[in-house]
Amino acid sequence: MSVLNLPFAIYLTIINASTTHFWLVETPLAVVGSVLLSVSLLTECACLRAEKYQKYQPLQYARPYWTTGLVIVAVFLADPFLKIATLLLASILSVVMTDRGQGRAVTGWMALRVKASGALLVLAGLLFPGPASGLLAGAGYAVLGGLFPVTAFPVENCDQKPADVRTVCATFRTAAGALLVAGSLAMHPLSVDGGIIFSTVFIGFGFVTLFVTTLRMQFLTPGYTVRWRQGYNLTQACLALAAVAAGLELPEVVCLALTAPTLTLPWFMSGKTKSDSVRTMRTVERLACLLPFVTVLIILYVMAPRSVAMMLALTIIVLPAIRRVGRDLLPTETT
């Protein structure tokens, strides 16, 4: 149903407009973002359909559909307060509908407290007049989007392994929805000063997250877990690139930055090593490397006329990551 709306999104992009239906607003960013969130749910189902030994509770089967639907609604809502409330509701349902395994409930509630803190910062920014509104809203959306100093993905405390693939994918969709909402706020700021500060703060959080993620990629020890750990790092880097694009008011680039994790994250987190999925994994690895590289090129092209210093800083940050990810994920002949 979301794909049926794509021609209308293209039309809105051509005429540079949006349309409002009661309490919903339809923009190209919202339409394409909803398609990406739906495709993320489809790739998760396609990746896990062959799992025969993983048992899920009924609530775990239903959780991705509820949370994804709420995030899509948040992207389309016109009122910024309703957007935040719906995003927070999606996080609450994600915790409530989680299997109560050992340590999972505590991890879920800790993640929910972080999301609630980000939502409060955004609400304070929306209610506080003046330039400080951009600072508070930018910091709040950075927390909701899983940017530094928080992390988007939950980690099991026992052996530092990522959580279940369904939990990881649901967390990514919630963070992606927050970045899509932030992108719409950057294009329609509440005030001129607040919008400039918001864009600057959001770009700063994206740069710091990229720098920290690049360091994490470099110090990753080789082993059998290198693929899904680099997939996790690459997803975090894509969220940071989406934040930079949102700060630069580039809605199309925000969607492009989120496309790579949308198509590849479930395959990396599932850890499939069967011989019949080798071709699929090769395709996934190439997409995971190519799409972020194109995103970086577009951001550098747009950033060059605005600030040469920022362009050089971004280049210095991402070059080591490109080299390491290409070595770990791409086949030798492709590298």
Side-chain angles (χ1 to χ4, degrees), residues 16 37 58 96 100 169 206 227 249 308:
N16 193 21
L37 294 172
V96 171
R100 294 299 185 268
C169 293
R227 286 204 305 182
E249 301 180 11
V308 178

Side-chain angles (χ1 to χ4, degrees), residues 61-232:
Y61 280 114
R63 180 184 58 174
Y65 300 94
W66 280 96
T67 56
T68 304
L70 285 173
V71 173
I72 291 175
V73 170
V75 172
F76 277 104
L77 285 171
D79 189 85
F81 298 99
L82 290 179
K83 287 177 179 287
I84 297 303
T86 309
L87 284 176
L88 190 58
L89 179 59
S91 300
I92 293 174
L93 277 184
S94 181
V95 173
V96 171
M97 302 174 74
T98 301
D99 180 30
R100 294 299 185 268
Q102 182 179 3
R104 293 183 181 178
V106 177
T107 303
W109 286 112
M110 288 179 63
L112 181 58
R113 290 195 320 185
V114 173
K115 297 292 185 181
S117 301
L120 289 176
L121 283 174
V122 175
L123 291 177
L126 296 176
L127 294 173
F128 196 91
S133 61
L135 177 62
L136 294 173
Y141 276 116
V143 173
L144 291 175
L147 304 179
F148 185 84
V150 301
T151 178
F153 304 104
V155 176
E156 300 291 347
N157 294 326
C158 56
D159 50 5
Q160 295 299 311
K161 289 184 179 180
D164 177 70
V165 58
R166 288 183 177 270
T167 303
V168 173
C169 293
T171 306
F172 163 73
R173 285 190 290 270
T174 305
L179 293 175
L180 291 171
V181 172
S184 63
L185 181 64
M187 291 183 294
H188 305 285
L190 298 178
S191 63
V192 177
D193 295 336
I196 296 175
I197 295 177
F198 174 82
S199 298
T200 305
V201 170
F202 219 52
I203 293 174
F205 275 109
F207 268 67
V208 175
T209 305
L210 276 174
F211 177 73
V212 174
T213 306
T214 301
L215 288 180
R216 189 185 299 120
M217 290 179 178
Q218 302 306 314
F219 292 102
L220 184 63
T221 57
Y224 71 97
T225 62
V226 65
R227 286 204 305 182
W228 62 259
R229 286 192 180 274
Q230 289 294 30
Y232 158 80

Side-chain angles (χ1 to χ4, degrees), residues 238-260:
C238 288
L239 292 175
L241 289 175
V244 174
L248 293 174
E249 301 180 11
L250 302 173
E252 297 85 1
V253 184
V254 173
C255 297
L256 179 60
L258 298 174
T259 301

